[in-house]
Amino acid sequence: MKLLVSRALTPRVEKRLAEEFDTTFRNGATPLSENEARAALAEYDALLVTLGDRLTAAAFAGAPKARIVANFGVGYNHIDVAAARAQGIAVTNTPGAVTDATADIALTLILMSARRAAEGDRFVRTGAWTGWTPTQFLGQHVTGKTVGIVGLGRIGKAIARRCHFGFDMRVLFHNRSIVAEPGLPAEQVPLDDLLAKADFVVIAVPASPATHHLIGADQIARMQPHAHLVNIARGDILDETALIAALQAGRIAGAGLDVYEHEPAVPEALRALNNVTLLPHLGTAAEEVRDAMGLMALDNLIAARDGKPVPNAV
C-alpha cells in the first residue's frame, strides 16, 4: 500500500509508518495545494494529511486511486468529505488524542490574556522594566469568575473541567444540542446570554458552514467591557475584522488566539495590538500528543489496508 505523508511528523511516528507501508515523506513545510492533492490522490493508495492541505472537491474529481485520507488532527474542514465519500474514499481523524492538550492551551490563553502575560514579557525584553510597582500591568483575577464555552464537545468539556475544578469558575456553555455532563456543574444557555454574562468566552466549536463567523461584531458587542475572548477552535469561526475593531476601541478587555481566519497570515493590525495574545497554533504542540495523533492515524490506515472498519471515520 503506497502512502504519502504530506508533512514531517515526529520520528516515532515516521518510523512506524515506514515499517507498515511503502511510504513517501513529502519534503517541505508547506501544505498540499489543490493540484498537488489531486495528483497524490491519483498516485497513492493512502494519504496522511494535515491542517491546511487543500483536499477540495476538485482534488477528488480526478481518477483517484486512494482508498483512505487519514487526517492528522481532529478538525477536517480542509477536506471535502462529501466529495471523498462520492469517490468511495474513507476520511478519518484523530479526536481523542488532542483533547487535553487543546484544553490546556485554552487555559494558557485565558491566563495570559487576563494577566497581560505576553504584554509583560515584551516589556521586560525591551529593557523598559525599571522595577515592581503596585499599579503596573494590572490585569484581571481568574479564580471564581464566569467562563462561557461555545461548543461543549470533548475539548469544551475538558476546558470546563479545568475551569471549574481548577479555578472555581462558574461554567456556562452554548451548544446546538442538549448536553448533560454528570459531575460537572455547567449551565446550558443561549449564545446571547453566555456572551452577556461571561468574563471569559472560549470558542471550542468545530468549523463548518454553520459556524462561519458565528462570533462577529454583533456577538462581540454583547460581551462585557472587561471580558476576554479566546479562540482555540478554527480561525474563521471568529470574524477577525470585527475582533480587531473591538480591541482597538477597547470594547472588550482582551483576546487570546491560537488560530486565525487566514492562517498563517495574521493581520498587521492584530499584531500591533497589546491587548491580544497571539500563539502560532500550539494547540497540540507537545511531542507525546503529536506521537499519539500520528499513531491514531496509523491505526486508521492499517484498518483500511486490512479491509477492516476504520476506527475514526468522519
Side-chain angles (χ1 to χ4, degrees):
M1 187 168 174
K2 288 181 63 179
L3 169 68
L4 176 69
V5 180
S6 69
R7 282 192 269 191
L9 304 177
T10 61
R12 181 185 178 195
V13 171
E14 290 194 346
K15 180 175 183 294
R16 290 285 289 114
L17 290 167
E19 290 169 351
E20 293 287 344
F21 302 101
D22 176 9
T23 305
T24 298
F25 295 98
R26 180 171 166 267
N27 292 326
T30 57
L32 286 169
S33 68
E34 183 178 82
N35 288 336
E36 288 172 327
R38 183 186 177 100
L41 287 164
E43 180 179 354
Y44 292 90
D45 302 296
L47 275 64
L48 197 165
V49 301
T50 65
L51 174 70
D53 292 325
R54 296 193 62 212
L55 280 87
T56 63
F60 285 107
K65 176 185 178 183
R67 293 154 46 195
I68 180 172
V69 172
N71 186 52
F72 182 88
V74 64
Y76 51 88
N77 56 309
H78 55 294
I79 302 170
D80 191 318
V81 175
R85 185 182 296 116
Q87 295 282 11
I89 300 171
V91 179
T92 66
N93 67 345
T94 60
V98 309
T99 301
D100 286 326
T102 310
D104 288 349
I105 284 293
L107 267 294
T108 300
L109 286 168
I110 288 173
L111 290 166
M112 289 184 72
S113 188
R115 299 300 301 273
R116 301 173 64 181
E119 190 178 354
D121 177 83
R122 291 190 294 271
F123 191 70
V124 172
R125 289 179 186 276
T126 63
W129 189 45
T130 58
W132 181 89
T133 65
T135 58
Q136 190 175 71
F137 286 106
L138 296 182
Q140 292 184 43
H141 199 42
V142 173
T143 299
K145 296 296 180 66
T146 297
V147 62
I149 302 170
V150 183
L152 205 74
R154 288 185 183 92
I155 294 169
K157 290 174 183 176
I159 295 167
R161 287 193 293 272
R162 283 157 172 76
C163 288
H164 176 73
F165 295 110
F167 292 90
D168 195 28
M169 298 177 82
R170 177 191 179 198
V171 178
L172 306 177
F173 72 93
H174 171 72
N175 213 67
R176 287 178 295 176
S177 56
I178 300 298
V179 176
E181 184 66 5
L184 177 64
E187 181 184 354
Q188 187 163 0
V189 298
L191 180 58
D192 285 354
D193 289 355
L194 180 151
L195 295 166
K197 295 176 181 178
D199 302 298
F200 301 94
V201 174
V202 182
I203 300 171
V205 70
S208 72
T211 61
H212 179 76
H213 283 187
L214 178 66
I215 305 299
D218 290 345
Q219 288 72 35
I220 294 171
R222 291 182 172 90
M223 294 173 62
Q224 301 180 82
H226 69 267
H228 293 253
L229 179 58
V230 167
N231 189 8
I232 48 83
R234 284 291 183 264
D236 65 356
I237 299 169
L238 173 62
D239 183 339
E240 219 163 64
T241 300
L243 174 66
I244 291 168
L247 291 170
Q248 288 174 335
R251 288 196 292 273
I252 60 173
L257 306 177
D258 192 39
V259 291
Y260 305 91
E261 189 165 356
H262 303 290
E263 193 169 316
V266 180
E268 183 179 352
L270 195 58
R271 289 184 279 117
L273 291 165
N274 273 327
N275 55 346
V276 60
T277 299
L278 306 173
L279 299 183
H281 207 136
L282 296 181
T284 61
E287 187 166 2
E288 58 267 45
V289 177
R290 296 283 168 84
D291 277 350
M293 293 167 66
L295 295 176
M296 187 175 284
L298 174 65
D299 288 342
N300 288 312
L301 290 163
I302 289 173
R305 180 195 65 191
D306 295 346
K308 298 177 180 179
V310 292
N312 302 109
V314 302

